[in-house]
Amino acid sequence: MPTGVLRAAGPLPALGAVSAAMIVAVTALAGCAPGHRGEDGAAKPAALRLPPRGAGFDYQIGGAYPPPKGVRIVSRDRSDSPAPGLYNICYVNAFQAQPAERSSWPADLLLRDGHGAVVIDEDWHEPLLDLRTPATRERVARRVNTWIDGCARKGFDAVEPDNYDSYTRSHRLLTAADATAFMTLLSRHAHARHLAIAQKNTAELSGQRRRAGLDFAVSEECGQYDECGVYAKAFDDRVVDIEYTGAGLRAARARWGGRLSIVRRDRDVSTPGSAAYVREVR
């Protein structure tokens, strides 16, 4: 996760036949045939629209702006609107609380250590959410799912729940099993709203993607850390990757440029006109 911000050009390509090609049966991803019901008895949608493989991509979670020429996939914060005519991914900070929203969370849903202190992701000053029990996971999911509902109402195609890997920053209070169980709740809800759902980072849990109900991957710096192959294998090349260094971009493109959607952005994912703005694809 690169953002300390509140997650908060040219002609757009017509999608026409491309859109039809991207309507992909969820059978292989969700483990049930069209019209069937999952293990929880909930009805599953027959199909989801997945991102096109290897398409031009832009990461705009720091603020929306007109997508550059050649972009067909864009990720934006849930507070923004989708880009017309493109495949749109809705960013949601699902496993941690935004600093500005901390006070709006019930105190007992913030993860606390043995001394009662809230556990903080020190890089981004974000409190971790308490996902240790089925009851707390359900309560957190109810709130996050209202944001997913908002993504669906706005017309996004998919949702990107961030901080799947927050258990690695929990001082062993959370486990990978806790994270996967919570993600499964979000996936079930997203699919019911006809939204695809992405695995954000957390390469070590890619083997759990079917169990968690995940459809594609959003990776940060898989080129930099030589993880692109893990995501490509797990998600059949349906991977969008953000690099934050020139070296990372070169590494990602050298091995995966013809298969994955890759862009370099600045770490604050700032908007054009900002002194910090960086966007490169080659």
Side-chain angles (χ1 to χ4, degrees):
M1 176 187 64
T3 55
V5 298
L6 185 61
R7 274 80 79 170
L12 298 178
L15 292 187
V18 174
S19 296
M22 291 190 300
I23 302 297
V24 180
V26 75
T27 305
L29 298 170
C32 59
H36 285 202
R37 293 179 178 270
E39 293 179 358
D40 63 340
K44 300 291 184 180
L48 298 173
R49 186 166 179 252
L50 301 185
R53 295 179 179 89
F57 171 56
D58 199 16
Y59 204 50
Q60 299 186 2
I61 68 171
Y65 53 87
K69 183 177 179 179
V71 168
R72 290 168 54 197
I73 305 170
V74 65
S75 185
R76 289 179 170 176
D77 185 76
R78 64 183 175 87
S79 63
D80 285 320
S81 297
L86 304 186
Y87 187 93
N88 286 273
I89 304 168
C90 187
Y91 175 96
V92 173
N93 192 6
F95 289 73
Q96 300 181 178
Q98 298 285 139
E101 296 177 349
R102 173 174 174 169
S103 63
S104 70
W105 281 92
D108 65 329
L109 290 183
L110 302 180
L111 184 67
R112 296 177 186 272
D113 63 20
H115 302 288
V118 174
V119 179
I120 302 291
D121 175 348
E122 297 295 343
D123 286 339
W124 305 106
H125 311 291
E126 294 180 350
L128 275 63
L129 300 173
D130 191 345
L131 308 175
R132 289 176 290 185
T133 69
T136 57
R137 289 194 290 269
E138 288 281 356
R139 289 175 62 201
V140 175
R142 282 198 294 271
R143 177 167 180 151
V144 175
N145 284 341
T146 65
W147 301 339
I148 292 175
D149 291 342
C151 296
R153 284 194 299 271
K154 287 185 174 183
F156 283 91
D157 300 289
V159 62
E160 171 196 343
D162 199 7
N163 291 306
Y164 190 21
D165 62 348
S166 62
Y167 73 93
T168 66
R169 299 182 289 278
S170 72
H171 308 295
R172 299 186 178 181
L173 294 172
L174 298 174
T175 67
D178 295 331
T180 301
F182 180 64
M183 184 64 87
T184 303
L185 297 177
L186 303 185
S187 298
R188 186 178 302 151
H189 190 84
H191 288 162
R193 297 299 183 267
H194 299 273
L195 295 172
I197 185 166
Q199 173 171 318
K200 178 68 174 291
N201 296 323
T202 325
E204 64 273 17
L205 295 186
S206 293
Q208 301 297 314
R209 72 98 169 173
R210 291 184 185 276
R211 177 180 295 181
L214 297 164
D215 304 306
F216 66 101
V218 176
S219 165
E220 291 173 298
E221 300 193 282
C222 72
Q224 183 74 26
Y225 296 106
D226 195 21
E227 294 177 334
C228 296
V230 176
Y231 298 113
K233 180 179 179 180
F235 292 95
D236 194 22
D237 286 359
R238 292 194 191 274
V239 180
V240 296
D241 173 49
I242 308 98
E243 298 291 334
Y244 298 113
T245 67
L249 178 65
R250 290 189 295 273
R253 289 202 58 81
R255 293 191 60 188
W256 303 99
R259 294 170 58 178
L260 311 183
S261 298
I262 302 167
V263 68
R264 179 187 175 191
R265 289 300 327 271
D266 56 282
R267 290 191 181 275
D268 290 331
V269 283
S270 52
T271 57
S274 166
Y277 174 77
V278 173
R279 184 180 186 275
E280 293 181 71
V281 293
R282 298 186 184 279

